[in-house]
Amino acid sequence: MGTFYNQLTLDERYQIQALSKLDFSAREVGRRLDRSNKTVSTELRRCPSGVYCAKTAHQNADINKRTASKNHRRTEDVIRQIDWLLGLDLTPEQIAGRMALEGCAQPISRQSIYRYIAYQQRRHRLPRKGKRYRQRKGAEAGVHLIPDRVDIDKRPAIVDDNSEIWHW
């Protein structure tokens, strides 16, 4: 099924730095850290100067992680605002539209709001409890629903005068 991917920690980066100064190969460093040699060699190639610095590499990795497209925009302020608007019985579509209209610092899409609600297991906070609207079929008014119905064109002329009670 594959292996679970973990980011390198700062401690592991310091170990890579120390072992690379001792001229260990990437394969040997990977064996000692229980990591792939490809992971270690990729990490060593990230240094622009050729000399590996663990602190700089870790800072660059954090910056890359924060600016990545997969990074979510759910900051604490956004979550507080979503919870408050859900308390007003607004739908995620209305919340996303309102945040965009008000010029929120980090606008969020309706789908991201739905994902947040599902992740927090708060479907009960949605107006229809997360269920889609189902249009009712066969419930329209018409001749077949009202017995002895007289069409509006065939009603007596006195009804148009509104002179009798109940004809208003």
Side-chain angles (χ1 to χ4, degrees), residues 71-107:
N71 186 22
H72 62 81
R73 297 180 177 181
R74 292 186 308 233
T75 61
E76 289 298 319
D77 294 334
V78 172
I79 288 173
R80 238 181 281 117
Q81 190 171 8
I82 289 171
D83 286 338
W84 178 70
L85 292 171
L86 280 173
L88 297 176
D89 290 334
L90 295 180
T91 64
E93 289 85 0
Q94 292 168 329
I95 293 171
R98 182 175 179 147
M99 290 174 83
L101 248 157
E102 292 177 353
C104 183
Q106 287 187 324

Side-chain angles (χ1 to χ4, degrees), residues 116-133:
Y116 166 71
I117 292 168
Y119 177 75
Q120 294 291 325
Q121 297 177 349
R122 295 182 179 178
R123 291 178 70 106
H124 63 279
R125 305 253 335 249
L126 292 172
R128 288 189 296 273
K129 311 298 182 244
K131 296 177 184 169
R132 291 187 149 205
Y133 177 73

Side-chain angles (χ1 to χ4, degrees), residues 14 28-29 33 39-40 55-56 69 72 74 76 83 87 100 103 106 115 124 127 130 137 139 157-159 161 163:
Y14 277 122
E28 183 59 33
V29 173
L33 294 178
T39 302
V40 175
K55 185 177 180 181
T56 308
S69 61
H72 62 81
R74 292 186 308 233
E76 289 298 319
D83 286 338
Q106 287 187 324
R115 265 189 251 119
H124 63 279
K137 295 179 182 167
I158 196 165
V159 174
D161 295 341
S163 57

